[in-house]
Amino acid sequence: MSYTNQIGPGQPLPLGAHCVVNDSGIGVNFALWSENAEQVELCVFSGDEETRYALPECHNGIWHGFLPGAGAGLVYGYRVHGAYEPGQGHRFNPAKLLIDPYARQLQGALVADERLMDFEPDARSWRPDPRDNAAVMPKAVVVESQFDWQGVSAPAVPLQDSVIYELHVRGFTARHPQVPEQLRGTYLGLAQPVVIEYLQQLGVTAIELLPCASFVSETHLLERNLTNHWGYNPLSFFAPHAAYSCGDPIGEFQSMVRAMHDAGIEVLVDVVYNHTAEGGARGPTYSFRGIDNAAYYSLRQHDRSAYVNNSGCGNSLNTHHPAVLRLVLDSLRFWAEVLHVDGFRFDLAPALARVHGEYDYHAPFLQALYQDPVLSKKKLIAEPWDVGHAGYRLGQFPPGWSEWNDRYRATVRQYWRGDQDLIGRMASRLAGSSDIFSRRGPVAGINYVAAHDGFTLADTVSYEEKHNLANGEDNRDGEQHNNSWNNGVEGETDDPGILLKRQRDVRAMLATLMFSQGIPMLLAGDELGRSQRGNNNAYCQDNEISWLDWENADWSLAQYVARLIALRRNHAVFRRREFLVGAFPGGAAVHDVQWLTRSGMPMQLADWRDEADRCFAMLLRGDLAADAISPRYRLDADDALLLFNGADTDTVFDMPMGTGPWQVAVESMPAAAQPQGSYRLSPRSVVLLLSPNG
C-alpha cells in the first residue's frame, strides 16, 4: 500500500480513524480530540519504519486530517506536542507514541519498559523523558468492520425474566475438553455448540462477561510473573481484547454474540470507565495522559500533578468533562450498535457520576444515558460503590438502572451460616429488597450469593479465612469479611460428613437465590462445585485456580440448578416487576405474600423478634403474581409455599389452613418420612411446594 506525502484537512467527526471516500479519493480520516495540545502528529508504521504527518486542522479541540490512499490494516499512533507542566496538569511529550482512544483494534503486546514513562524515572523533579517509546508500544490498526448477522436478532428478554450468568471468557473454556484446543479461552470458544447447549440446558437467559475491552497487566504483577486475569485495567475502551481471539477480535466477538443470540441468550459486558491502565502520577503513559492529561483525568485542585483516585487504581476518568463523556458514550454505542451487546455492568459506577467530587443523582453521565436513544434501551447494571468519599451508593441510582445487591449476598450467607436475628432481613431480601430500592421495583436489584470478586459458593462453605498467598501479597489483599464458614475443616477434606454439610448449604443458598424476587445472578462454575482453593481475589490467577474444571464437575449439582431455574421460569410468582404488598387495602383476607411460622400461622411481632428462631415460611399467591399491566406474563396461577429451615436439626411445618393441596416441587435436601398433614424439613434446607390456585 502506498501513501502520498501530503495529508489533507479531512473532517473533525467522527472521532477515530475511519475509511472514507471523498473528493480526494479513497483514504482514512483521522480525528483526535485534545483541547490543550499545540500540535498533533499522525505516525504511520510499516514494519519498523515510521512516517509522521502533522494533522493540518483543529476545530473545537479536534485535530484532524485525511490520508489519501490509506485503508484498513494501516498501523498508526499519535505524538502530541504541548507544555510539559505537571503542576498545571499538562504532560505532553512528543517522544512518546500514544494510542488513539478511539482505536478499534490494537497490534503488539505491551511490555514493561522505562521508556513508557513520560518523565525521567530518576529525576527528583518532573522532567520529560526524551527516549522514544515506539518500539515497545502497541499500535492502533485501522479497521473496516463488515459483519453478516444472518438475520439473527437480539432475544430482548424482559428484565424480570432474566437469569444472569457471570463468566470469564478465558477461564470458562480454558480447560473444556470438548472445545477445540486452539479455541479454548476465546470468543469463538464460547460460541462452540457444546458450550451454548450447556447454557441452554442450564436455563440462563444472559451471560455477563468480565471485561472484554483491551486491558494490560500492571507492572507489579509482571514483576511477580503474574498477569491481570480479570481485565479491570483498561488500555482501550473500544478494541475487544485481542488475547481472546485467534486473529480478528471484532469479527470473532461478533460471531460469539450472534451464536448466543441465535440460542436466545443475551450478552452483557462488564465495562470499566472509572479509570485507565495509566495508573497514578508516576505510572506509564499509553494514551490519555499524553493526549490531554488535564482534561481526561480528575486532578487535585491545589496540586494538579496529583490525581483524584476514586477507583483505588491510581486515577479517575473525568466523565464530568463533555469530551470525556462523549468518549464513554461513543464507546458504549460501539459495543451496542457494532458488536450488538445487550447491556452493560458498570464497574465502580459512582465514580462515573461524581460532580465536584461528590456522587450526584443528576450527574451528566446518568442524564446522558437516560436520554440516549440507543443506550437507554439496554440493560444497565451498576456496581453501586467506589472507594471515594461516601462511595457506597446502593439503592441510589435512577430509574432504569439495576444494581448489584451485596446486602443480599451478606444476608443470605449469614442466615445459612447460622447467625441469629436474620429472619426479618431474609424476608426483605426474598421479597426484593424494597427497603433498598424503594419505588423502583424488585428488578432494580441484582441478587447474588457469589461473584467473581470474593469466594466462590463452594469456598464460602469450605473456608473461614482467605488464602491468597499465590497472589504474592502475603495474603493482605482481598475482602476480609466474607461471611463464610468451613463446616468443621478449613479447605479440602475427604470427610463424608463435612462434605454432606457443605453440599447441603450450597444447595440451600442456590434455592434461596432462584426463588427470591429480583434478578438472580449465578457465578459461572458455582453450579459445578468450582473452588478457587480459598483464594477470594483471584484477579491475577490466569491458571487452574480460576479456570473451570469441567472434568471434575459436580453434574448432579448442575442438574439441580437447572431444575431451580426452570421452576423460576415457569412460575411468574417469582418474577414480579412490582413489590409485594402483603394484605391488600380493603381486603383483609387477600394477600400476595404471607410470612408464616412453623405452626402455619401468620408471624406476629414476637416471632419477628425471636433472635434464636431460624425457621419460617413464605406463602405467595399465584393469581396475584402478574402485574395488572402485564397480563401476558401470567404463565400460571400456582400458589407457592417456601419453607426455610436454617436450624441444625429437622423441623416440622404445619400446612397453613385453607391452602393446598400441596405438591413438592423441589427439596434442597430430602427429608425423612413425612408426617400426615405436615412437612418435615432436613436441617439447613429449603423446600418449594406448589398448589394450583382457585
Side-chain angles (χ1 to χ4, degrees), residues 165-315:
Y165 189 70
E166 189 196 28
L167 66 84
H168 188 283
V169 171
R170 177 164 167 78
F172 194 69
T173 63
R175 302 179 67 185
H176 201 302
Q178 294 175 275
V179 171
E181 187 172 357
Q182 70 274 18
L183 299 183
R184 294 175 189 171
T186 68
Y187 305 124
L188 294 181
L190 280 183
Q192 291 299 294
V194 66
V195 174
I196 291 179
E197 182 181 355
Y198 172 75
L199 296 173
Q200 288 179 309
Q201 290 176 347
L202 190 60
V204 299
T205 68
I207 57 173
E208 181 177 302
L209 305 177
L210 267 68
C212 292
S214 292
F215 60 88
V216 295
S217 297
E218 297 87 340
T219 301
H220 68 87
L221 291 178
L222 297 175
E223 291 172 348
R224 298 199 297 268
N225 294 318
L226 297 170
T227 58
N228 189 310
H229 177 57
W230 286 350
Y232 294 94
N233 198 41
L235 182 65
S236 168
F237 296 135
F238 286 79
H241 194 56
Y244 296 160
S245 77
C246 299
D248 177 12
I250 292 178
E252 293 172 32
F253 187 95
Q254 291 169 317
S255 294
M256 179 271 294
V257 173
R258 182 180 63 193
M260 291 292 171
H261 283 179
D262 194 42
I265 299 171
E266 295 186 315
V267 178
L268 315 177
V269 291
D270 200 331
V271 288
V272 187
Y273 296 111
N274 55 79
H275 77 284
T276 78
E278 292 182 314
R282 292 283 174 174
T285 293
Y286 302 134
S287 178
F288 309 96
R289 198 195 312 274
I291 293 173
D292 202 333
N293 182 70
Y296 276 111
Y297 292 117
S298 297
L299 306 178
R300 300 289 182 186
Q301 289 186 349
H302 302 297
D303 179 8
R304 293 183 62 76
S305 68
Y307 290 78
V308 173
N309 184 17
N310 294 317
S311 66
C313 299
N315 63 57

Side-chain angles (χ1 to χ4, degrees), residues 328-351:
V328 172
L329 295 177
D330 287 348
S331 167
L332 290 169
R333 280 190 290 267
F334 171 74
W335 287 88
E337 296 184 302
V338 177
L339 302 184
H340 284 205
V341 304
D342 303 282
F344 305 93
R345 181 265 191 187
F346 292 85
D347 182 62
L348 303 182

Side-chain angles (χ1 to χ4, degrees), residues 473-494:
E473 299 178 42
D474 297 324
N475 207 37
R476 294 189 302 269
D477 63 304
E479 175 61 51
Q480 303 294 330
H481 306 288
N482 296 284
N483 295 308
S484 62
W485 62 103
N486 62 23
N487 278 292
V489 172
E490 186 75 356
E492 296 182 5
T493 182
D494 57 4

Side-chain angles (χ1 to χ4, degrees), residues 468-624:
N468 298 352
L469 287 174
N471 295 354
E473 299 178 42
D474 297 324
N475 207 37
R476 294 189 302 269
D477 63 304
E479 175 61 51
Q480 303 294 330
H481 306 288
N482 296 284
N483 295 308
S484 62
W485 62 103
N486 62 23
N487 278 292
V489 172
E490 186 75 356
E492 296 182 5
T493 182
D494 57 4
D495 186 312
I498 292 176
L499 293 175
L500 181 61
K501 289 180 180 180
R502 291 176 177 177
Q503 179 189 44
R504 170 199 67 188
D505 293 345
V506 164
R507 291 166 70 95
M509 284 191 284
L510 288 167
T512 303
L513 175 66
M514 292 304 164
F515 299 143
S516 295
Q517 304 296 326
I519 311 305
M521 184 184 77
L522 180 67
L523 174 63
D526 274 354
E527 80 284 5
L528 300 172
R530 183 174 76 95
S531 171
Q532 291 182 165
R533 306 172 195 169
N535 192 318
N536 75 346
N537 189 35
Y539 78 104
C540 57
Q541 299 300 325
D542 185 10
N543 51 49
E544 293 182 357
I545 292 177
S546 291
W547 301 342
L548 269 67
D549 183 359
W550 292 94
E551 292 187 339
N552 296 300
D554 184 347
W555 294 108
S556 64
L557 182 60
Q559 292 172 354
Y560 168 75
V561 173
R563 172 68 174 154
L564 297 177
I565 294 175
L567 285 166
R568 180 182 181 87
R569 179 178 63 246
N570 294 330
H571 295 277
V573 71
F574 301 119
R575 298 182 283 103
R576 291 179 56 97
R577 293 197 307 173
E578 304 296 332
F579 286 121
L580 298 158
V581 298
F584 282 81
V590 181
H591 301 75
D592 55 8
V593 62
Q594 283 184 294
W595 304 97
L596 309 173
T597 66
R598 275 173 287 191
S599 64
M601 300 300 293
M603 291 184 66
Q604 304 300 316
L605 185 59
D607 299 312
W608 290 111
R609 290 179 173 176
D610 187 346
E611 296 183 1
D613 195 2
R614 304 197 39 72
C615 304
F616 67 100
M618 180 183 189
L619 174 60
L620 295 163
R621 283 283 301 274
D623 61 342
L624 300 174

Side-chain angles (χ1 to χ4, degrees), residues 32-41 55 58 61-63 78-83 90-93 98 290-296:
L32 178 75
W33 178 84
S34 176
E35 65 182 355
N36 291 302
E38 297 173 0
Q39 180 183 337
V40 174
E41 291 179 308
L55 293 182
C58 180
I62 299 175
W63 300 78
Y78 290 109
R79 297 181 187 273
V80 182
H81 299 252
H90 302 308
R91 300 278 290 270
F92 297 107
N93 185 343
L98 305 170
I291 293 173
D292 202 333
N293 182 70
Y296 276 111

Side-chain angles (χ1 to χ4, degrees), residues 357-507:
E358 300 296 328
Y359 173 79
D360 190 335
Y361 184 88
H362 301 290
F365 168 73
L366 297 175
Q367 291 192 40
L369 282 180
Y370 181 80
Q371 298 176 51
D372 191 281
V374 174
L375 301 176
S376 62
K377 298 175 183 177
K378 298 297 179 179
K379 291 181 170 68
L380 304 176
I381 301 171
E383 181 184 38
W385 50 80
D386 64 21
V387 303
H389 173 258
Y392 188 78
R393 294 290 174 169
L394 178 65
Q396 299 178 41
F397 275 73
W401 282 81
S402 298
E403 304 173 36
W404 272 26
N405 186 357
D406 66 324
R407 291 188 196 168
Y408 181 95
R409 174 177 60 179
T411 299
V412 172
R413 287 187 178 187
Q414 289 164 359
Y415 174 80
W416 291 112
R417 182 172 62 177
D419 294 9
Q420 294 188 340
D421 195 22
L422 263 299
I423 289 181
R425 274 181 280 169
M426 272 289 282
S428 294
R429 303 300 156 250
L430 286 163
S433 298
S434 61
D435 57 325
I436 297 173
F437 299 113
S438 187
R439 299 180 180 179
R440 290 161 55 196
V443 294
I446 304 297
N447 298 330
Y448 62 104
V449 288
H452 71 272
D453 189 0
F455 278 146
T456 67
L457 197 54
D459 287 353
T460 298
V461 302
S462 304
Y463 294 89
E464 292 191 357
E465 304 292 339
K466 59 187 173 69
H467 297 264
N468 298 352
L469 287 174
N471 295 354
E473 299 178 42
D474 297 324
N475 207 37
R476 294 189 302 269
D477 63 304
E479 175 61 51
Q480 303 294 330
H481 306 288
N482 296 284
N483 295 308
S484 62
W485 62 103
N486 62 23
N487 278 292
V489 172
E490 186 75 356
E492 296 182 5
T493 182
D494 57 4
D495 186 312
I498 292 176
L499 293 175
L500 181 61
K501 289 180 180 180
R502 291 176 177 177
Q503 179 189 44
R504 170 199 67 188
D505 293 345
V506 164
R507 291 166 70 95

